[in-house]
Amino acid sequence: MNKEIKKSDFVQSLEKGLNVINAFDMDHEQMTLSDVAKKVDLTRANARRILLTLQHLGYVTSLDGKLFSLTPKVLSLGYSYLSGLPFRELAQPYMQELAKEINESCSMSVLDNSDIVYIARVHTKRIMTISLGVGTRLPAHATSMGKVLLASMDPMEAAKLIGQMKFEELTPFTLSKNAFIQHLDVVRKQGWAISDQELEIGVRSIACPIRDKKGKVIAAINISGHASRVTLEDLVKKYLSALKDKVEKIEHALINL
Amino acid sequence: MNKEIKKSDFVQSLEKGLNVINAFDMDHEQMTLSDVAKKVDLTRANARRILLTLQHLGYVTSLDGKLFSLTPKVLSLGYSYLSGLPFRELAQPYMQELAKEINESCSMSVLDNSDIVYIARVHTKRIMTISLGVGTRLPAHATSMGKVLLASMDPMEAAKLIGQMKFEELTPFTLSKNAFIQHLDVVRKQGWAISDQELEIGVRSIACPIRDKKGKVIAAINISGHASRVTLEDLVKKYLSALKDKVEKIEHALINL
């Protein structure tokens, strides 16, 4: 879905370098040169030059010259993006209040092609396992936030994007492309969306859009919880009004931004 | 302070690409090709190839082909680092409790050369202006978290790092290098540190280290507030015990991670 490019314009070593950064994760916190070469599909010589360059620039560190890991400097790259979203900081205290009131997680996301990307998240103490954080990507079609974000797009643009989306069946409840398109009309009318175990069995969520002072949707916010605690009725009867109340407060605060 | 590199090993276009990403910020959310070329000191041809490559890879977007901005995909780069720090997620609810109890901001950071880098932050509704977020860098010598992190390092390593640090006098209260070295002995003994308007006039903070189950310091946590609300006495008499209480709970939770 990304823009086409002429081969002569493409800076391949930039792609390789970004792929090397992305290769590090929770299960690959430290990697050798060979690990990196293998994971990113590079020659050892290429992987070596990229790791040494990233190390020289301060994005990668190695205590022994063998095991490499990322440094906090890579946060500056993501920070370049987040600092352009001042509403995020402003919404955080309201998200904390909400998570506290309902004792379930509260998240904020934006759309990036066919995925939603978390830009803020407040979770409760209940979640002791490693959970989804800022930067996590989830398929839009299976999430409540994805639904409200797609519903808020220009219908032509949304149709084009949906046409390109894969609609992977993540659970037996995940909507098909056709069902999704029909469902989106409902979401557009009601102004909120639910995901009932469409992303993962056991996870229910409800989302609303957040609008700037011009009425443009700039992000989505949701409440999510485990189906054993949160019934569908709870979502619509209890959580929706709590969510709407905070959205109103955030949008009011946005006017003064 | 970064590792030396042979010229033949250095991938210059990777450096240029990362610099272009870093060039976007709150005041430069959207930039033209010329803006980017000027800000990063590149030729127009170079800036163009890098922007087109980043656009092709999905890190940059442009509605009209003239104004470029970052996409949420850049968060994946920072996320590669954060996902390697599971204690961050675990500490968040305790940080939220603390910020709520004392009605002041609570932050967590790690050291990256002579700077601290925020890896988590919970602020109160009081702060309505854009504040410091994850990824923000501050000079270690002027901050309470920088002090506890430097104090927790191997003394030889710390001395080497301090020797290379600049000790910019940010306010009349910022410590000189010599005063800082003496002060660090006190911090080492007492196990916590204060910054009394050493970073910015009007800002006071108190920090403690967080240790993993092996006793190794993995991050620092602090409370900060405006000097007009938070006296030095408050910091030590009221906030220190609240901070220590949460650190104990976080460290206890870390044992089970």
Side-chain angles (χ1 to χ4, degrees):
Chain A
M1 257 170 279
N2 298 326
K3 203 173 180 293
E4 286 308 308
I5 188 167
K6 271 192 269 176
K7 211 174 166 189
S8 58
D9 283 334
F10 191 62
V11 186
Q12 214 176 13
S13 51
L14 176 53
E15 179 184 35
K16 288 177 186 161
L18 296 172
N19 287 347
V20 167
I21 293 176
N22 279 327
F24 290 88
D25 60 26
M26 211 189 307
D27 303 318
H28 304 85
E29 213 190 311
Q30 295 192 311
M31 288 194 280
T32 63
L33 200 159
S34 309
D35 294 338
V36 171
K38 203 172 161 189
K39 192 149 186 271
V40 190
D41 197 18
L42 291 176
T43 62
R44 272 182 63 93
N46 262 330
R48 182 179 160 276
R49 287 184 69 217
I50 285 170
L51 282 170
L52 290 179
T53 300
L54 289 172
Q55 188 175 13
H56 179 70
L57 297 172
Y59 293 100
V60 157
T61 185
S62 176
L63 276 179
D64 58 2
K66 281 175 193 155
L67 278 172
F68 294 88
S69 56
L70 295 178
T71 74
K73 193 175 176 182
V74 299
L75 289 175
S76 67
L77 300 165
Y79 188 62
S80 307
Y81 170 71
L82 289 177
S83 68
L85 307 176
F87 61 90
R88 222 185 119 253
E89 290 277 311
L90 186 145
Q92 206 203 2
Y94 298 100
M95 293 175 66
Q96 279 161 222
E97 277 178 7
L98 184 57
K100 181 114 188 172
E101 275 170 37
I102 56 173
N103 203 21
E104 298 290 350
S105 309
C106 178
S107 308
M108 189 187 278
S109 71
V110 292
L111 201 65
D112 187 27
N113 288 321
S114 58
D115 292 332
I116 59 163
V117 182
Y118 281 34
I119 56 169
R121 185 158 163 92
V122 176
H123 60 74
T124 57
K125 238 191 277 186
R126 188 179 275 148
I127 300 159
M128 268 299 140
T129 51
I130 307 317
S131 55
L132 312 168
V134 168
T136 302
R137 303 178 76 90
L138 295 172
H141 73 282
T143 60
S144 56
M145 291 192 284
K147 290 176 185 177
V148 294
L149 291 169
L150 284 165
S152 74
M153 281 174 75
D154 169 76
M156 292 287 283
E157 292 280 325
K160 196 176 147 196
L161 182 55
I162 290 167
Q164 295 166 326
M165 280 165 57
K166 282 196 215 119
F167 286 85
E168 195 187 343
E169 199 183 315
L170 300 160
T171 76
F173 303 105
T174 311
L175 299 180
S176 67
K177 188 176 289 200
N178 284 337
F180 187 86
I181 291 170
Q182 291 197 318
H183 179 61
L184 217 52
D185 279 335
V186 179
V187 172
R188 248 182 229 113
K189 273 169 206 147
Q190 71 192 11
W192 48 270
I194 274 176
S195 166
D196 183 11
Q197 311 187 64
E198 295 157 48
L199 176 72
E200 196 182 316
I201 290 293
V203 177
R204 287 200 175 109
S205 68
I206 186 162
C208 284
I210 295 176
R211 294 170 196 277
D212 66 12
K213 50 188 160 191
K214 291 175 192 159
K216 192 186 147 205
V217 172
I218 49 175
I221 183 169
N222 89 348
I223 297 170
S224 70
H226 199 272
S228 63
R229 291 187 307 268
V230 181
T231 64
L232 263 185
E233 206 181 349
D234 282 344
L235 274 186
V236 183
K237 291 209 171 152
K238 271 168 56 189
Y239 295 170
L240 181 58
S241 61
L243 190 60
K244 279 184 169 170
D245 175 61
K246 297 300 172 193
V247 167
E248 204 174 293
K249 284 178 175 149
I250 292 169
E251 290 180 346
H252 184 77
L254 274 171
I255 295 173
N256 303 315
L257 190 66
Chain B
M1 255 169 279
N2 298 325
K3 203 173 179 292
E4 286 308 308
I5 187 168
K6 270 192 268 174
K7 212 175 166 189
S8 58
D9 284 333
F10 191 61
V11 186
Q12 214 176 11
S13 52
L14 177 53
E15 179 185 34
K16 288 177 187 162
L18 296 172
N19 288 347
V20 167
I21 293 175
N22 279 327
F24 290 88
D25 60 27
M26 211 189 306
D27 303 318
H28 304 84
E29 216 189 308
Q30 294 193 312
M31 288 194 279
T32 63
L33 202 159
S34 308
D35 293 339
V36 171
K38 203 173 160 188
K39 192 151 188 268
V40 190
D41 197 17
L42 292 175
T43 63
R44 272 182 64 93
N46 261 330
R48 183 179 159 275
R49 288 183 70 216
I50 285 170
L51 282 170
L52 290 178
T53 301
L54 290 172
Q55 188 176 11
H56 179 71
L57 297 172
Y59 293 100
V60 156
T61 186
S62 176
L63 277 180
D64 57 1
K66 280 175 195 159
L67 277 173
F68 295 87
S69 57
L70 295 178
T71 75
K73 192 173 177 185
V74 299
L75 289 176
S76 67
L77 300 164
Y79 188 61
S80 307
Y81 170 72
L82 289 177
S83 69
L85 308 176
F87 61 89
R88 222 186 119 255
E89 291 276 311
L90 187 145
Q92 207 204 2
Y94 298 100
M95 290 174 67
Q96 279 162 221
E97 278 179 5
L98 184 57
K100 182 115 187 170
E101 276 171 35
I102 55 172
N103 202 22
E104 298 291 349
S105 310
C106 178
S107 310
M108 189 187 278
S109 70
V110 293
L111 203 63
D112 187 27
N113 288 322
S114 58
D115 291 332
I116 58 163
V117 183
Y118 280 34
I119 57 170
R121 185 159 164 92
V122 176
H123 60 76
T124 57
K125 238 191 277 186
R126 187 179 279 148
I127 298 161
M128 269 297 139
T129 50
I130 309 316
S131 55
L132 312 167
V134 167
T136 302
R137 303 177 76 90
L138 294 173
H141 72 282
T143 61
S144 57
M145 292 192 283
K147 289 176 184 177
V148 295
L149 290 169
L150 284 164
S152 74
M153 283 175 74
D154 170 78
M156 291 289 281
E157 291 282 327
K160 197 176 146 195
L161 182 54
I162 290 167
Q164 293 165 326
M165 281 165 56
K166 280 195 217 121
F167 286 84
E168 196 187 340
E169 200 182 315
L170 300 159
T171 75
F173 302 106
T174 312
L175 299 179
S176 67
K177 187 176 290 201
N178 284 338
F180 187 87
I181 292 170
Q182 289 197 320
H183 179 61
L184 217 54
D185 280 334
V186 179
V187 173
R188 248 181 228 114
K189 272 169 207 149
Q190 72 193 12
W192 49 270
I194 275 177
S195 166
D196 183 11
Q197 312 187 63
E198 294 157 50
L199 176 71
E200 196 181 318
I201 291 293
V203 178
R204 289 199 173 109
S205 69
I206 186 161
C208 284
I210 296 176
R211 293 168 197 278
D212 66 12
K213 50 188 160 193
K214 290 175 191 158
K216 191 186 146 204
V217 172
I218 50 175
I221 185 170
N222 89 348
I223 297 168
S224 69
H226 198 273
S228 62
R229 293 187 307 268
V230 182
T231 64
L232 263 184
E233 206 181 348
D234 282 342
L235 274 185
V236 182
K237 290 208 171 152
K238 271 169 56 189
Y239 295 170
L240 181 58
S241 62
L243 189 60
K244 279 185 169 170
D245 176 60
K246 298 300 172 191
V247 168
E248 204 174 292
K249 285 176 176 152
I250 293 169
E251 291 180 346
H252 185 78
L254 274 171
I255 294 172
N256 304 315
L257 189 68

